[in-house]
Amino acid sequence: MPSLQSPRLEFVTQKPASWLLRTWQWLTGQQEIMRLAALVATAAFLADWASKSWALDALKHASASLGSLVLELETNHAFAFSDGAASVSPQTVIGVRLIALLVIAVVFGRILMRDRRSAAGTGLILGGGFGNATDVAFRGGVVDFIGAGPLTLDYAGDPIQLHFFFNTADLAILLGIGLMAPMINLYALAAQRRLGEWETRWSRDRRLFL
């Protein structure tokens, strides 16, 4: 006759997964959208490089008008609108651009990139950013060849005319931001809600000790 024994309880303590293991699990779980982001970034980078190569060859000594747009070469040696061109070195510009791209890749990849739309948006932003950074590294400055304007603004009663020059990398970045806008908005609302909850708890706990 088999003996009746009470079941033996075993307590197994599981160690928390390491940061490397959790990162690997996240990567394997996000393979499809990360692959899409990489493909879009590569396509945006190659399209930007090809268009700038064409502009450097075709617009070296010429310009063309396309309605309200003009095709003409302009070189930006610093940041947006040539800000800081006289005070920063090309190495600093490249370093700042690469750090910004790394931050975008980490933040968007870990927090905002959840579906194909956000993956395409992230890829466009990264591809355009690397395109402009590559210009600074290998061409001495960002190659802009699409001009828009003049745009007349009223500043303190005085009219100011502004001209804008941009490139296909800038267009990719703007399109990427547009694709990411709903996800950024949702995350901002969630962060605002969590901040409001924390402020409510802090105020309640503070009243208990006063």
Side-chain angles (χ1 to χ4, degrees):
M1 180 177 179
S3 60
L4 298 178
Q5 296 180 352
S6 60
R8 184 176 57 183
L9 298 179
E10 295 183 357
F11 296 92
V12 179
T13 304
Q14 296 182 351
K15 295 183 178 179
S18 65
W19 179 87
L20 184 60
L21 179 58
R22 283 185 281 112
T23 302
W24 173 253
Q25 292 172 345
W26 177 82
L27 288 173
T28 54
Q30 300 285 326
Q31 282 184 354
E32 181 180 354
I33 61 174
M34 292 189 67
R35 189 182 299 114
L36 176 60
L39 290 175
V40 172
T42 302
F45 174 82
L46 293 177
D48 176 64
W49 183 267
S51 63
K52 290 173 179 175
S53 299
W54 170 85
L56 288 172
D57 181 62
L59 304 175
K60 183 180 298 185
H61 303 293
S63 62
S65 178
L66 297 176
S68 59
L69 299 178
V70 59
L71 299 181
E72 184 179 352
L73 282 178
E74 290 286 336
T75 304
N76 180 358
H77 296 283
F79 304 106
F81 307 109
S82 295
D83 187 28
S87 58
V88 296
S89 64
Q91 292 79 9
T92 302
V93 175
I94 296 173
V96 171
R97 288 180 180 271
L98 292 179
I99 291 174
L101 289 172
L102 179 61
V103 171
I104 290 173
V106 172
V107 173
F108 282 23
R110 292 300 300 268
I111 299 176
L112 299 177
M113 197 169 66
R114 291 293 180 265
D115 52 20
R116 293 181 178 179
R117 174 172 178 161
S118 57
T122 301
L124 287 170
I125 294 173
L126 293 178
F130 276 115
N132 285 337
T134 303
D135 279 353
V136 179
F138 295 98
R139 289 168 169 165
V142 177
V143 178
D144 294 327
F145 61 93
I146 307 173
L151 177 64
T152 303
L153 299 178
D154 187 7
Y155 179 74
D158 297 326
I160 300 176
Q161 290 188 340
L162 299 177
H163 291 79
F164 298 94
F165 279 89
F166 52 94
N167 52 45
T168 47
D170 300 328
L171 293 176
I173 293 172
L174 289 176
L175 180 58
I177 293 174
L179 291 175
M180 294 294 297
M183 187 66 67
I184 295 174
N185 184 53
L186 288 176
Y187 181 77
L189 291 176
Q192 185 178 7
R193 184 174 62 254
R194 287 194 296 268
L195 180 61
E197 294 173 353
W198 178 84
E199 289 178 345
T200 301
R201 290 195 303 269
W202 182 83
S203 298
R204 183 179 63 249
D205 296 341
R206 183 171 178 269
R207 287 195 298 268
L208 292 176
F209 291 98
L210 292 179

